[in-house]
Amino acid sequence: GDSVTQMEGPVTLSEEAFLTINCTYTATGYPSLFWYVQYPGEGLQLLLKATKADDKGSNKGFEATYRKETTSFHLEKGSVQVSDSAVYFCALLNYGGATNKLIFGTGTLLAVQP
Amino acid sequence: DSGVTQTPKHLITATGQRVTLRCSPRSGDLSVYWYQQSLDQGLQFLIHYYNGEERAKGNILERFSAQQFPDLHSELNLSSLELGDSALYFCASRLAQNTGELFFGEGSRLTVL
């Protein structure tokens, strides 16, 4: 079945460092890909998405490119801030089923130190 | 604020008990999804309702049940609780059955002692 694999955390960075969180997926067809962020004590928020190969999703300085050839959707940010500390989830959604549920990776905790 | 409201935010109960978690979707959203987030299992899809009808079940135990009411709010009932049911339970909603962004509530944290 469809699945998402993302790098285990925690990832600890200093402020202004470059961030990469790896995400790869297994799916039939052409899923849409998402990154969600969960700040402490809050629910999940959509950070960015890409719906087809070579699309780049971007938001708040974060970017991810849908790479079908490597089945990847790595999250990047050029300069992280303390306020970016959160858990980041990669997810896919394979349209065509009865429910189109999001399938999540296990989440990666990012801790940014001042 | 996503517009999805979940109550209670925190709940502590004992093994063998029964609890009900409530979700009010965003105004106008017809689809409601329930997810369970635990340390060892990550985010697991439980069940999906659309306009009052069950559409799909995921990894939902037989001790758990859910329903969506005519006013579109949903309840997740957890019975014969076990220690392993301790988790964060999220509700998410969206307008349509099959398309559109999912908006998540802040979750209900259940602790079973």
Side-chain angles (χ1 to χ4, degrees):
Chain A
D2 297 347
S3 65
V4 174
T5 302
Q6 59 181 108
M7 63 187 288
E8 291 197 18
V11 174
T12 304
L13 296 173
S14 297
E15 208 164 21
E16 299 183 2
F18 185 86
L19 168 71
T20 299
I21 300 178
N22 290 337
C23 171
T24 57
Y25 68 90
T26 301
T28 57
Y30 303 93
S32 292
L33 301 174
F34 305 81
W35 277 100
Y36 279 80
V37 59
Q38 183 180 25
Y39 297 103
E42 298 184 13
L44 280 74
Q45 302 174 26
L46 179 64
L47 181 59
L48 53 84
K49 67 180 181 182
T51 57
K52 61 182 187 297
D54 299 326
D55 267 2
K56 177 185 284 187
S58 61
N59 185 26
K60 299 182 182 179
F62 291 89
E63 293 182 342
T65 301
Y66 188 166
R67 301 285 188 201
K68 187 165 174 59
E69 64 274 16
T70 54
T71 61
S72 65
F73 193 54
H74 304 321
L75 182 68
E76 297 181 336
K77 186 175 185 182
S79 176
V80 294
Q81 305 300 312
V82 172
S83 57
D84 294 326
S85 298
V87 181
Y88 292 82
F89 292 90
C90 185
L92 73 81
L93 196 156
N94 218 343
Y95 288 98
T99 193
N100 290 322
K101 63 181 185 290
L102 278 171
I103 296 172
F104 289 91
T106 52
T108 302
L109 173 63
L110 170 65
V112 180
Q113 299 175 337
Chain B
D1 183 4
S2 68
V4 179
T5 303
Q6 290 187 246
T7 57
K9 292 194 185 309
H10 302 276
L11 188 56
I12 301 174
T13 188
T15 55
Q17 295 298 305
R18 172 190 170 94
V19 299
T20 297
L21 308 180
R22 181 188 171 99
C23 169
S24 294
R26 291 188 321 152
S27 178
D29 281 1
L30 300 176
S31 268
V32 170
Y33 294 74
W34 285 97
Y35 282 83
Q36 178 193 56
Q37 184 182 30
S38 58
L39 286 176
D40 56 342
Q41 296 288 329
L43 266 164
Q44 298 287 318
F45 165 70
L46 296 178
I47 199 162
H48 169 215
Y49 278 85
Y50 176 76
N51 203 19
E53 293 188 8
E54 181 185 303
R55 282 291 186 237
K57 278 186 175 181
N59 301 320
I60 187 167
L61 300 170
E62 287 190 8
R63 300 182 286 108
F64 296 0
S65 65
Q67 58 184 130
Q68 186 180 26
F69 295 86
D71 66 353
L72 302 177
H73 91 272
S74 178
E75 292 181 357
L76 179 66
N77 301 296
L78 316 174
S79 62
S80 302
L81 286 168
E82 302 176 359
L83 296 178
D85 298 327
S86 296
L88 193 52
Y89 292 85
F90 284 109
C91 167
S93 75
R94 64 181 175 193
L95 175 61
Q97 178 177 341
N98 293 332
T99 61
E101 180 180 342
L102 269 178
F103 292 86
F104 283 80
E106 295 184 356
S108 292
R109 181 170 295 283
L110 171 66
T111 302
V112 182
L113 301 176

